[in-house]
Amino acid sequence: MAKRRQSLKTTTLMVVLLCLVAFSTVFAPLPSPLPNSLKPYKHHHHEAAAVNARKFEIADDMFWKDGEPFRIIGGDLHYFRTLPEYWEDRLLRAKALGLNAIQTYVPWNLHEPKEGQLEFDGIADIVSFLELCHKLDLLVMLRPGPYICGEWDFGGFPAWLLTKKPAITLRSSDPSYLALVDKWWGILLPKIAHLLYHNGGPIIMVQIENEFGSYGDDKDYLHHLVNLTRSHLGDDIILYTTDGGTRETLTKGTIRGDSVFSAVDFTTGDDPWPIFKMQKAFNAPGKSPPLSAEFYTGWLTHWGENIAKTDATSTASALENILSGNGSAVLYMAHGGTNFGFYSGANADKESDYKADLTSYDYDAPISESGDVDGAKFKALRKVIAKYSATSLPPVPSNNKKTGYGRIQLEKTSSLFNTLDVDLSTKAIESENPISMESAGQMFGFLLYVSEYKTKVKASTLSIPKVHDRAQVYVTCLSEDKREKPQYVGTINRWSNKQVDLPNAECSSTTRLLILVENMGRINYGPYLSDSKGILSAVYLDGKPLLKWKMLPIPLNNLNDASKNILSFNNVSNFIGISARKTLKSISGVSLKEPAFYTGNFVINEVTDTYLSFDGWCKGVAFVNDFNIGRFWPSSGPQCNLYVPAPILQRGNNVLVILELESPEPELVVNSVDQPDFTCGSKRLKVQTALT
């Protein structure tokens, strides 16, 4: 916005010179030539006395930074998807792309994994991340939720919300839900208040909720969040909403008036200007700078799909269509990163259409999962951004070195069943019917369900009408004769839910049934958001409910767990009756698949990034030096390799531990390689595509 300059005595020449200086200086953030809409003009909010004040505001359908017109060319880069040691590296690459702002979500579940247990250290140290943005002269658009979507488990909600009785209604004006949000934001928002732009920090805008118009239309809820934010952050910070670029979603998700700015997102390649025109109708007059708050540079991928790829040239062209008209855009994603631990989310259009997200969140973004910046998309977008940047762009850094350390030989350490702490009186939870994972206190990973039934002469049929998400079924005999491990009989998936035939094991009296249920990630978007995990219905044996269950949590480390041990239980065997079991006779259809731990050591001299190739393995989770690098599932694809950032590794000896749920690679080998691979399962996928 043009700054007014006062002078008691001036000559005509001085006025002309001052006008020229004002024009050339004030409008530096927007490159010449300027359209008529951005020609110099006077505005009563910008007097000479306020020239030096730090202020970010909206007026005359533009953003203004310290009294000057400003265009946001930002990008999403999530602190929780990149190790803290790499935050600066990735932010510098974002600057080299030409970005002047970073947008990030704040996942509630990362910071309060258990009710009352607050985490703001390590990868959860949001204050340090924001301070680093400020140090690097990057502005911040903060998206604190409480719901964030983002292909993140439960859309950022902590799973313990699902244990509340009576059940709370998420994303609504339910008083019980709002009380919990009030408490959480009462902790979070004061932590970042000093980092608001007008307080000397980088935060220029704070988002209210996230694409709420695609979910509901509870205005009382949105107004409550606005008032709550204002109570902690004051009236000077810009609050904004982001909704899809349709009249319906904007009607439901926006808050009319000038207190909250309404931004839009839409499919890359759509004509943005009719949508920006529609956006104006949902903002106060003069308060609608055109902003695509999620300009999609790529897309997400689920297990079992081909890796998502988008064309670099068309993506860059779509961005230029926005910038050439003096619009603003935030690249989603600028850098995707990784869903370490158990935090990847899922999608479902209906209950049976469950699709879990990959561990990799590369997103086909211009800055790759490992930070590479030599791809066609980075170059194409940077070329466009350079045309509209106020300053020359920083040089592009070289890619970080990646090393393939070669063959890692593993050995079987233990069957999962042998490893479990099996003291039923202290560890297992007993119930007449199965209970959810959350009710058992197991928020992520796995839960073992155990029951017994009288052995029958004929084979039996097992069915579970509602299991979230994947249940591996095992049986074993209870007897004093001989030690024997449980035998795998089949898998029941949420997305297919087929019954399993239990073979006639010829046990002398009683058969023990073990069901290992995996939480593959909670749904993060849509009507099925309240996605409890575990066995959520009765279990039927030959059509009759099976009663008297014991549930045993399996506490594997998640991303932000304080424990240094992968397993926090002892090697005790009586839970599954290892010392009291008869050998199952050889029966057709019974597989030897079993969940087991495999361990290997590898020595390195130079520490760099690497990838672990799980080609030949089936499905599981991997830990490097006690850090949960995520899930692998090469038999489904498309992700074959898991990214291992250098800060996880150390010179000398490194330890890899794998929980393989089914069958290991025949030679028990994992290879450390120097590049990603998203071609696993491709042959099967091509066959499926051909059949459909």
Side-chain angles (χ1 to χ4, degrees), residues 201-221:
I203 303 173
I204 55 172
M205 299 168 65
V206 175
Q207 182 173 285
I208 298 298
E209 246 276 349
N210 188 70
E211 297 182 322
F212 187 71
S214 298
Y215 181 82
D217 58 359
D218 189 339
K219 297 295 185 182
D220 290 341
Y221 168 49

Side-chain angles (χ1 to χ4, degrees), residues 634-689:
S635 59
S636 180
Q639 184 174 0
C640 314
N641 304 348
L642 294 185
Y643 173 54
V644 183
I648 294 174
L649 302 172
Q650 59 192 11
R651 287 190 65 185
N653 189 55
N654 294 264
V655 180
L656 169 64
V657 177
I658 292 173
L659 171 59
E660 167 60 63
L661 297 173
E662 295 184 347
S663 301
E665 194 271 343
E667 296 183 2
L668 303 186
V669 169
V670 168
N671 284 293
S672 168
V673 298
D674 61 1
Q675 58 188 350
D677 184 355
F678 293 99
T679 63
C680 281
S682 59
K683 291 182 180 179
R684 183 178 61 83
L685 290 169
K686 289 177 181 177
V687 170
Q688 287 180 335
T689 302

Side-chain angles (χ1 to χ4, degrees), residues 16 38 51 92 95 109-110 130 133 309 335 358 401 422 439 556 577 591 593 630 635 640 655 668 683 692:
V16 172
L38 290 183
V51 167
L92 288 172
K95 281 183 70 74
N109 54 8
L110 180 76
L130 296 173
C133 289
K309 291 285 184 181
H335 168 60
L358 301 184
K401 184 177 180 180
V422 295
S439 297
L556 301 177
S591 168
K593 290 182 180 179
S635 59
C640 314
V655 180
L668 303 186
K683 291 182 180 179
T692 57

